[in-house]
Amino acid sequence: MKLKIKKDEILKGLQRIQGVVDKKNTMPILSNMLLVADGKGVEIIATDLEIGLRGRYTAEVEKPGAVAVSAKKMFEIVRELPEEDIQIRVDEGNWVKIVSGHSQFKLVGLPKEEYPSMPDVAEEGMIAMDGDTLRDMIKKTLYAAGENDARYVLNGLFVHLSPSKGGLNIRMVGTDGHRLSMIDRIVDAKHKEESVIIPKKAMMELRRLLEEDSSQGGFQIGLSKNHALFKRDGLVMVSKLIDGNYPNYQQVLPTQNTKKVSVSKDIFTHAVKRVSILSKEKTNAVKLQLEKDTLLLSTNNPEVGEANEELSIDYKGESISIGFNSRYLMDVLMAMDKETITLELNDSLSPCLVKEEGNDDYKCVVMPMRV
Amino acid sequence: MPVETSYSALRTPHSALSMRSILHIDMNAFFASVEQRADPKLRDRPMAVGGSSQRGIILSPSYEARAFGVKTGMQYHEARKKCPDIVLVPASPGKYSSACKELITIWERFTPLVELFSIDEAFLDVTGCKSLMGDPVQIAVRLKNEIWEIMGLTCSVGIARNKLLAKLGSDMLKPDGIVLISPGDEEEVLEDLPVKELCGIGPSLTQQLSAMGITTCGKLGRTPLAKLTARFGILGERLREMGQGIDDDPVVSRAEQDEEEAKSVGHSMTLDKDCGDIDMIQRHLLQLCEKVGRRLRRGGYIGHTVSLTLRYADFHTFSRQQRLPRPVDHELDIFATASSILTRISLDQPIRLVGVSVSGLEKQMSQVPLFTDERKRKFTAEAMDDINDRYGDFTVTWGTLAERYHHERVISPAWRPGGDREY
C-alpha cells in the first residue's frame, strides 16, 4: 500500500472513529482501525463489535492495500504532523510508515484479515431524515437513557416507527427508571410499523457525526432484524440492536396531572442551579413548593446551610410541595428549546410532566424524591 | 477481632487478659418487669409477656408467675394450667427497646466498654475503672442500685475474668444476685457443671458431647484435644477451652460494633432443629431477607453485595456472596440473590443456622421509581414497614411465611437501641 493524503482529510476520519474504538481492551485487535486503500481513495473502518463505522476519504493511491493499525497512535501522530501532505506506506511485515516533512514514523501493523469485518446490512426501505431533526431528537431523549443498567434494554433509545397522516411518525424514548423523555416527529417517508432499541453508545456517536457539520445533511436509516444502519455520502455506521422488550413507557406518562404551571426556562434554570449549590451531595435534592402565584425553590443541607429562592408565577391551584434530584431537573431544562416550559404535577410522590409550552410532541417525565 | 479505635487505650493488653474484670448483667424477667413498671395493676401478681398470635408462647413470665412454674417458651394454655390467674400481656417491643436504651445510658456511665449481648443482657469491661470506683463487686453493687433507683428494675450480675464465666455467674443467682467467680474458684465451679450451662453449648452440642461421655465442664476441659478436634474440627479447641473456663473474647463496645455493623446489615437465625430441606431453608431465608430489607430501608441504605452464611449441624460455618450490578434494599431482590446462592451449594449436612447480610452499603437517595411495578413494590414495602414498626415484626408478611409465624422466639435485633442499630 502506498498513498498520499491531506492532513485535514485523514484527521477527520481518525477523529470520527476514536469514540468507536474499544477502550476496554477486551480484544487487543479492537484497539486498531482498518485502513483500506483502493482506486477511489481510502476507507477508515473501526468497530467494537457492537458498532461499526466506515468512512471514505480522498487520497492519491499509488498502490492499493489494507492494514490494521493502532487507532489511537495513528490519531496522535497525524494530529501532530507538521505538513499538510502526508505519505503512508505499508512495507513487508505490515510496517506502517508515515512521512510528513522531515518527520517519519514506523508503526506496527497487523494483516487486514485479523480485523473483524463489519456486518452487512441490506439497504432496503431506507428512511431519509434531515440532520437537524435527527440530532434534535437524539439530544432531547438520550440524556434520560440508562447507563450500565442491569435492565439492559434501558441502556438504549427506543425507536418506534409508525405510519401517520403526514408520512412516518418517528418516536424516540429514553428512560433510566427515574426519568423518561419521549419525542415524536413526522418525516416524509414510508415504512411499516416497527420498534427497535438502539444502544446508547451508537446514538452518542451518531450525534457526534451530526454535530460535526450540519451542512452535510441527514442520514438514510435502515433497520434489519439485528442491526440499524445509518448512511450518508461516504459514511456508514452500523449498530447492533438491543434485543428485548422495552418497558411500558406509555403507562408512566401522566395524563391526569392537574397542577400546571408555566415558567421561564432561563429563570427557572438559574434558580435551580443556584439553590442546588447547597443541596445534599449524594441526593442533589431540591424542594419545589407551589403556592398561589409563587414557586419556591429550596435546599437544606444540615452540614452546610440552606438556600431559598422565590419565583413569581401565575398559579391559582392547590399548594403542593415536591422534591427532585436537581441534576434530573437540569438535564430536562438543558434539553428544552422553547423559552417557556410547563410543569404538570399531581402529588409529591407522582410523576411530574415537563413540556415546552404549546408543544405536545415532546414530553419529559421526572420522578420526585422524598425530601 | 479487636478494632483499633480510641477505645484501645482502655482495652486491657493481651498479656493481662487473665486480669480482666468483666461484668455480665442480666435483667431479671425483663419484659415482664418493664410491663409491671408501666402498669401498676400488673405489679405483685403473676403475669407474663407473650407473643401476639393466638397460639402464642410465653416470652417472659414475671417472678410471681415463675413461682407457679410458668416458664419462657411455654404455650399459653400450658401457662394457664399452671397458673389460672395469670395475666397475659402482648409484647410491645418499642417499650423494651426504650427501656434498654435507658439501661445503656446507666451502664455507659460506668465504662464505655459496654457490649450489648441481647435486649436484656450486657457485658461491661470494668478493668480500667477499678482505681476509680473500687473493686468489681463494689462496682456491681453501685450499678444495681442505680438501675433500681432510676428504673425500678432488678438484675443479676456475674463477675469474672472473662465473658464466658461472667455470664455463667449471672445465671447462678436469680433474681437480684451478684456472683463473683474469682480465678481461684473457677476450677471448682466448672468441675461438676453440666456442659449445657455454658453459653454457646446448645442442645445439639450437649447431645453430641454426652454421646462421647462428656457431661460436665470438668470432663470437657480434660478431654484430649485430638479427640475433640477429630469430632468437631476447629471448634474442638474452643470447646476444650470453654471446659477450662478460658475465654479471650473482648468486650466490644457499641461504638466499635456500630463501626463494624454500618458496613453491612445482616440477620441470622439458628433453626429449631437442624434442617436439610431446601424449601424449608428457603422459607427461613425469606424471613431473614425481610428483616434485612426492612433494616436497610429504615437506615436509608442500599447495598451491592448479598452474602449467605450457613452453619452445618457440626458447626462448620461458611459464607458465599454475590455482587449485584444495581444496589438493592428490597427483600425480594435480596432473597432472589441469596436463594440463587443457596441453590448453587450442595449441602453436605443439615443446616443449623442461616444468615443473610447485605454489604457494600451506600446511602439511598429517596428517589421514587418511575415504573409502576417498581413503585408499587417500593410503596408496599414501606407500608409493610410502617405496620410492622407499629404492631410488631411480621404483623404483615409474605404468604410463604404465614404458616411459620409462630416461630416467635426469634427476637429481631431490631430492638437494638442507639445510633444506626436502631433499625
Side-chain angles (χ1 to χ4, degrees), chain A residues 53-79:
Chain A
L53 185 62
R54 190 173 73 218
R56 178 165 283 284
Y57 306 92
T58 316
E60 285 174 44
V61 179
E62 239 173 79
K63 198 178 153 200
V67 71
V69 65
S70 161
K72 188 162 175 246
K73 286 290 166 237
M74 263 312 258
F75 176 57
E76 286 172 347
I77 291 167
V78 169
R79 198 172 45 182

CSV table of all heavy atoms in Angstrom, one decimal, chain A residues 53-79:
chain,number,residue,atom,x,y,z
A,53,LEU,N,-18.1,1.7,12.1
A,53,LEU,CA,-18.1,3.0,11.4
A,53,LEU,C,-17.1,2.9,10.2
A,53,LEU,O,-16.0,2.5,10.4
A,53,LEU,CB,-17.7,4.1,12.4
A,53,LEU,CG,-17.8,5.5,11.8
A,53,LEU,CD1,-19.2,5.9,11.5
A,53,LEU,CD2,-17.3,6.5,12.9
A,54,ARG,N,-17.6,3.3,9.1
A,54,ARG,CA,-16.8,3.2,7.9
A,54,ARG,C,-16.9,4.5,7.1
A,54,ARG,O,-18.0,5.0,6.8
A,54,ARG,CB,-17.2,2.1,7.0
A,54,ARG,CG,-16.3,1.8,5.8
A,54,ARG,CD,-16.7,0.5,5.1
A,54,ARG,NE,-17.8,0.7,4.3
A,54,ARG,CZ,-18.8,-0.1,4.1
A,54,ARG,NH1,-18.8,-1.3,4.7
A,54,ARG,NH2,-19.8,0.1,3.3
A,55,GLY,N,-15.8,5.2,6.9
A,55,GLY,CA,-15.8,6.5,6.2
A,55,GLY,C,-14.8,6.4,5.0
A,55,GLY,O,-13.8,5.8,5.1
A,56,ARG,N,-15.2,7.2,4.0
A,56,ARG,CA,-14.3,7.2,2.8
A,56,ARG,C,-13.7,8.6,2.7
A,56,ARG,O,-14.4,9.6,2.9
A,56,ARG,CB,-15.1,6.9,1.5
A,56,ARG,CG,-14.4,6.9,0.2
A,56,ARG,CD,-15.1,6.3,-0.9
A,56,ARG,NE,-15.0,4.8,-0.8
A,56,ARG,CZ,-13.9,4.1,-1.2
A,56,ARG,NH1,-12.8,4.7,-1.5
A,56,ARG,NH2,-13.9,2.8,-1.1
A,57,TYR,N,-12.4,8.6,2.3
A,57,TYR,CA,-11.7,9.9,2.3
A,57,TYR,C,-10.9,10.0,1.0
A,57,TYR,O,-10.4,9.0,0.5
A,57,TYR,CB,-10.8,10.1,3.5
A,57,TYR,CG,-11.7,9.9,4.8
A,57,TYR,CD1,-11.8,8.6,5.4
A,57,TYR,CD2,-12.4,10.9,5.3
A,57,TYR,CE1,-12.6,8.4,6.5
A,57,TYR,CE2,-13.3,10.7,6.4
A,57,TYR,CZ,-13.4,9.4,7.0
A,57,TYR,OH,-14.2,9.2,8.0
A,58,THR,N,-10.7,11.2,0.6
A,58,THR,CA,-10.0,11.5,-0.7
A,58,THR,C,-8.5,11.3,-0.5
A,58,THR,O,-7.9,11.8,0.5
A,58,THR,CB,-10.2,12.9,-1.2
A,58,THR,OG1,-11.6,13.2,-1.0
A,58,THR,CG2,-9.7,13.1,-2.6
A,59,ALA,N,-7.9,10.5,-1.4
A,59,ALA,CA,-6.4,10.3,-1.3
A,59,ALA,C,-5.9,9.9,-2.7
A,59,ALA,O,-6.7,9.5,-3.5
A,59,ALA,CB,-6.1,9.2,-0.3
A,60,GLU,N,-4.6,10.2,-2.9
A,60,GLU,CA,-4.0,9.7,-4.1
A,60,GLU,C,-3.4,8.4,-3.9
A,60,GLU,O,-2.3,8.3,-3.2
A,60,GLU,CB,-2.9,10.7,-4.6
A,60,GLU,CG,-3.3,12.0,-5.2
A,60,GLU,CD,-2.2,12.9,-5.4
A,60,GLU,OE1,-1.1,12.4,-5.9
A,60,GLU,OE2,-2.3,14.1,-5.0
A,61,VAL,N,-4.0,7.3,-4.4
A,61,VAL,CA,-3.5,6.0,-4.1
A,61,VAL,C,-2.5,5.5,-5.2
A,61,VAL,O,-2.9,5.5,-6.4
A,61,VAL,CB,-4.6,5.0,-3.9
A,61,VAL,CG1,-4.1,3.6,-3.7
A,61,VAL,CG2,-5.6,5.4,-2.8
A,62,GLU,N,-1.3,5.2,-4.8
A,62,GLU,CA,-0.4,4.7,-5.8
A,62,GLU,C,-0.4,3.2,-5.9
A,62,GLU,O,-0.3,2.6,-7.0
A,62,GLU,CB,1.0,5.1,-5.4
A,62,GLU,CG,1.8,6.0,-6.4
A,62,GLU,CD,3.1,6.5,-5.8
A,62,GLU,OE1,4.1,5.6,-5.8
A,62,GLU,OE2,3.1,7.6,-5.3
A,63,LYS,N,-0.6,2.6,-4.8
A,63,LYS,CA,-0.6,1.1,-4.7
A,63,LYS,C,-1.7,0.7,-3.7
A,63,LYS,O,-1.6,1.1,-2.5
A,63,LYS,CB,0.7,0.6,-4.3
A,63,LYS,CG,1.0,-0.8,-4.6
A,63,LYS,CD,2.4,-1.2,-4.2
A,63,LYS,CE,2.5,-2.6,-3.8
A,63,LYS,NZ,3.7,-2.9,-3.0
A,64,PRO,N,-2.8,0.0,-4.1
A,64,PRO,CA,-3.8,-0.3,-3.1
A,64,PRO,C,-3.3,-1.3,-2.1
A,64,PRO,O,-2.3,-2.0,-2.3
A,64,PRO,CB,-4.9,-1.0,-4.0
A,64,PRO,CG,-4.5,-0.8,-5.4
A,64,PRO,CD,-3.0,-0.5,-5.4
A,65,GLY,N,-4.1,-1.5,-1.0
A,65,GLY,CA,-3.7,-2.4,0.0
A,65,GLY,C,-4.5,-2.1,1.3
A,65,GLY,O,-5.4,-1.2,1.3
A,66,ALA,N,-4.3,-2.9,2.3
A,66,ALA,CA,-5.0,-2.7,3.6
A,66,ALA,C,-4.2,-3.1,4.8
A,66,ALA,O,-3.4,-4.1,4.6
A,66,ALA,CB,-6.4,-3.5,3.5
A,67,VAL,N,-4.4,-2.5,5.9
A,67,VAL,CA,-3.7,-2.9,7.1
A,67,VAL,C,-4.5,-2.4,8.3
A,67,VAL,O,-5.2,-1.5,8.3
A,67,VAL,CB,-2.3,-2.2,7.1
A,67,VAL,CG1,-2.4,-0.7,7.3
A,67,VAL,CG2,-1.3,-2.8,8.1
A,68,ALA,N,-4.3,-3.2,9.4
A,68,ALA,CA,-4.9,-2.8,10.7
A,68,ALA,C,-3.8,-2.2,11.5
A,68,ALA,O,-2.7,-2.7,11.6
A,68,ALA,CB,-5.4,-4.0,11.4
A,69,VAL,N,-4.1,-1.0,12.1
A,69,VAL,CA,-3.1,-0.3,12.9
A,69,VAL,C,-3.7,0.4,14.0
A,69,VAL,O,-4.9,0.7,14.0
A,69,VAL,CB,-2.4,0.7,11.9
A,69,VAL,CG1,-3.3,1.8,11.4
A,69,VAL,CG2,-1.1,1.3,12.6
A,70,SER,N,-2.9,0.7,15.1
A,70,SER,CA,-3.5,1.3,16.3
A,70,SER,C,-4.2,2.6,16.0
A,70,SER,O,-3.6,3.6,15.5
A,70,SER,CB,-2.4,1.6,17.3
A,70,SER,OG,-2.8,2.6,18.2
A,71,ALA,N,-5.5,2.7,16.3
A,71,ALA,CA,-6.3,3.9,16.0
A,71,ALA,C,-5.8,5.1,16.8
A,71,ALA,O,-5.8,6.2,16.3
A,71,ALA,CB,-7.8,3.6,16.3
A,72,LYS,N,-5.4,4.8,18.1
A,72,LYS,CA,-5.1,5.9,18.9
A,72,LYS,C,-3.7,6.5,18.5
A,72,LYS,O,-3.6,7.8,18.4
A,72,LYS,CB,-5.0,5.4,20.4
A,72,LYS,CG,-4.8,6.5,21.4
A,72,LYS,CD,-5.2,6.0,22.8
A,72,LYS,CE,-4.9,7.1,23.8
A,72,LYS,NZ,-3.8,6.7,24.7
A,73,LYS,N,-2.8,5.7,18.2
A,73,LYS,CA,-1.4,6.1,17.8
A,73,LYS,C,-1.5,6.9,16.5
A,73,LYS,O,-0.9,7.9,16.3
A,73,LYS,CB,-0.4,5.0,17.8
A,73,LYS,CG,0.0,4.5,19.1
A,73,LYS,CD,0.8,5.5,19.9
A,73,LYS,CE,1.0,5.2,21.3
A,73,LYS,NZ,0.5,6.2,22.2
A,74,MET,N,-2.3,6.3,15.6
A,74,MET,CA,-2.4,7.0,14.3
A,74,MET,C,-2.9,8.4,14.5
A,74,MET,O,-2.4,9.4,13.9
A,74,MET,CB,-3.4,6.2,13.4
A,74,MET,CG,-2.9,5.2,12.4
A,74,MET,SD,-1.6,5.8,11.4
A,74,MET,CE,-2.4,6.1,9.8
A,75,PHE,N,-4.0,8.5,15.3
A,75,PHE,CA,-4.6,9.8,15.5
A,75,PHE,C,-3.6,10.8,16.2
A,75,PHE,O,-3.5,11.9,15.7
A,75,PHE,CB,-5.8,9.6,16.4
A,75,PHE,CG,-6.5,10.9,16.8
A,75,PHE,CD1,-7.0,11.8,15.9
A,75,PHE,CD2,-6.7,11.2,18.2
A,75,PHE,CE1,-7.7,12.9,16.3
A,75,PHE,CE2,-7.4,12.3,18.6
A,75,PHE,CZ,-7.8,13.2,17.6
A,76,GLU,N,-2.9,10.3,17.2
A,76,GLU,CA,-2.0,11.2,17.9
A,76,GLU,C,-0.9,11.6,17.0
A,76,GLU,O,-0.4,12.8,17.1
A,76,GLU,CB,-1.4,10.4,19.1
A,76,GLU,CG,-2.4,10.3,20.2
A,76,GLU,CD,-1.9,9.4,21.4
A,76,GLU,OE1,-0.9,8.7,21.2
A,76,GLU,OE2,-2.5,9.4,22.4
A,77,ILE,N,-0.4,10.7,16.1
A,77,ILE,CA,0.7,11.1,15.2
A,77,ILE,C,0.2,12.1,14.2
A,77,ILE,O,0.8,13.2,14.0
A,77,ILE,CB,1.2,9.8,14.5
A,77,ILE,CG1,2.0,8.9,15.5
A,77,ILE,CG2,2.2,10.2,13.3
A,77,ILE,CD1,2.3,7.5,15.0
A,78,VAL,N,-0.9,11.8,13.5
A,78,VAL,CA,-1.3,12.6,12.4
A,78,VAL,C,-1.7,14.0,13.0
A,78,VAL,O,-1.3,15.1,12.3
A,78,VAL,CB,-2.6,12.0,11.7
A,78,VAL,CG1,-3.2,13.0,10.8
A,78,VAL,CG2,-2.2,10.8,11.0
A,79,ARG,N,-2.3,14.1,14.1
A,79,ARG,CA,-2.6,15.4,14.7
A,79,ARG,C,-1.4,16.3,14.9
A,79,ARG,O,-1.5,17.5,14.8
A,79,ARG,CB,-3.2,15.1,16.1
A,79,ARG,CG,-4.0,16.3,16.7
A,79,ARG,CD,-4.7,15.9,17.9
A,79,ARG,NE,-3.8,15.1,18.8
A,79,ARG,CZ,-4.2,14.6,20.0
A,79,ARG,NH1,-5.5,14.8,20.4
A,79,ARG,NH2,-3.4,13.9,20.8
